[in-house]
Amino acid sequence: MTEEIFKKELEKIGIKITDKQIEQLNEYQKLLKEWNEFMNLTGITEKEEVYLKHYYDSLTINKVIDLKEINNLCDVGTGAGFPGLVLKIVFPNIHVVLVDALNKRINFLNEVIKKLGLTGIETVHARSEDYALYNREKFELVTARAVASLPILMEICSPLVKENYYFIPLKANIFQEMEESKNAEKLLSLEKKDIIKFKLPIEDSNRCIIKYKKTKKTNIKYPRRFSEIKKKPL
């Protein structure tokens, strides 16, 4: 995906990107490729692939929520910064927290943040479930991209979400996992508000975004494995 196609495709989903943001994304891609030579960040480092499979893919979350209306978000298991760091670049109004268990990735993210001159963004070196223990009901939006199965993601992410706000996972194909997550939805007071299926431009690979709203606070003892309880009736 070239820069021009990227801009045009973003306009279709309600995003207008500036020249400065394109410059920041280009610097991000250069750092990603450079660091990937000595640590395993991603299998995708070439510019046009990064623009399609990392940048555009991350920004498709705007299909289900107006990110200009969100004040803070947490990206659980952020890896090389997708989607959270991309969202911060394109929506600088959002305070972003990037959580990852691998310190090498955190070092990379800190370098990108420093080089791009970003403010209002934090990195946290921690297991996501440990971070959630001490940051309950803190975020308006919690997201994760291709981190774990949906029931486990619900378990980890839902405690972080404020009442009446959103958990939005980004997945390739999620419908089997949705069936396995029905008990978790009820137990965690997550209401499905929107489901969007689509294909990435150019390569036509499948994507799915689900928007859950947390309808009330929960007092579930945490952590707890829905892989174990999903077979039991509530």
Side-chain angles (χ1 to χ4, degrees):
M1 175 177 275
T2 64
E3 290 179 20
E4 286 306 311
I5 293 174
F6 178 67
K7 291 176 184 178
K8 289 176 182 177
E9 291 296 331
L10 287 186
E11 287 178 1
K12 294 178 185 178
I13 59 172
I15 299 173
K16 187 170 178 61
I17 196 164
T18 66
D19 290 340
K20 179 183 177 181
Q21 288 164 342
I22 289 290
E23 288 174 9
Q24 289 176 315
L25 290 172
N26 283 337
E27 181 64 23
Y28 184 5
Q29 181 267 328
K30 289 175 186 176
L31 289 167
L32 183 70
K33 188 171 184 178
E34 177 186 322
W35 279 61
N36 207 61
E37 291 180 1
F38 58 88
M39 63 178 289
N40 184 25
L41 289 167
T42 174
I44 299 166
T45 60
E46 295 306 316
K47 182 176 177 179
E48 292 195 0
E49 279 200 293
V50 168
Y51 262 88
L52 174 63
K53 297 179 182 178
H54 286 325
Y55 295 168
Y56 178 80
D57 193 26
S58 294
L59 290 162
T60 56
I61 195 172
N62 202 61
K63 288 174 174 278
V64 296
I65 191 166
D66 185 353
L67 289 167
K68 293 189 292 295
E69 301 298 319
I70 294 296
N71 292 306
N72 67 357
L73 75 81
C74 181
D75 180 11
V76 169
T78 188
F82 310 118
L85 187 46
V86 179
L87 298 179
K88 177 62 190 179
I89 292 167
V90 179
F91 296 92
N93 58 292
I94 305 175
H95 185 94
V96 172
V97 177
L98 306 174
V99 182
D100 200 88
L102 188 62
N103 199 43
K104 289 180 180 179
R105 294 192 194 115
I106 294 296
N107 290 338
F108 165 72
L109 295 170
N110 286 336
E111 180 69 10
V112 176
I113 290 165
K114 179 182 175 182
K115 286 286 180 70
L116 270 53
L118 300 177
T119 58
I121 183 167
E122 304 172 45
T123 59
V124 177
H125 175 219
R127 294 171 72 235
S128 299
E129 51 266 49
D130 293 335
Y131 179 74
L133 280 170
Y134 303 102
N135 292 276
R136 289 178 177 270
E137 310 279 339
K138 186 174 179 179
F139 296 96
E140 295 180 3
L141 173 59
V142 177
T143 187
R145 178 176 177 256
V147 174
S149 67
L150 187 56
I152 299 302
L153 275 180
M154 286 178 167
E155 174 198 1
I156 293 169
C157 295
S158 63
L160 294 163
V161 182
K162 289 182 179 182
E163 185 179 1
N164 294 319
Y165 283 95
Y166 305 100
F167 164 52
I168 304 178
L170 307 180
K171 288 273 191 173
N173 194 335
I174 205 169
F175 289 95
Q176 179 61 40
E177 292 180 17
M178 285 171 58
E179 280 297 310
E180 296 169 354
S181 303
K182 288 183 177 179
N183 277 4
E185 286 180 32
K186 294 176 185 177
L187 195 60
L188 294 166
S189 301
L190 292 172
E191 180 184 352
K192 206 182 285 104
K193 302 299 289 186
D194 204 353
I195 306 171
I196 292 183
K197 294 188 297 179
F198 62 98
K199 292 182 182 291
L200 281 187
I202 301 170
E203 69 168 26
D204 287 337
S205 54
N206 293 320
R207 291 293 186 272
C208 183
I209 302 175
I210 309 177
K211 180 180 181 180
Y212 291 100
K213 184 176 183 180
K214 187 172 180 178
T215 58
K216 63 180 180 181
K217 293 182 180 180
T218 53
N219 295 309
I220 301 300
K221 189 179 288 188
Y222 181 85
R224 185 168 181 175
R225 290 291 170 221
F226 291 118
S227 56
E228 297 172 5
I229 69 166
K230 69 184 181 183
K231 299 175 184 176
K232 302 176 183 178
L234 292 172

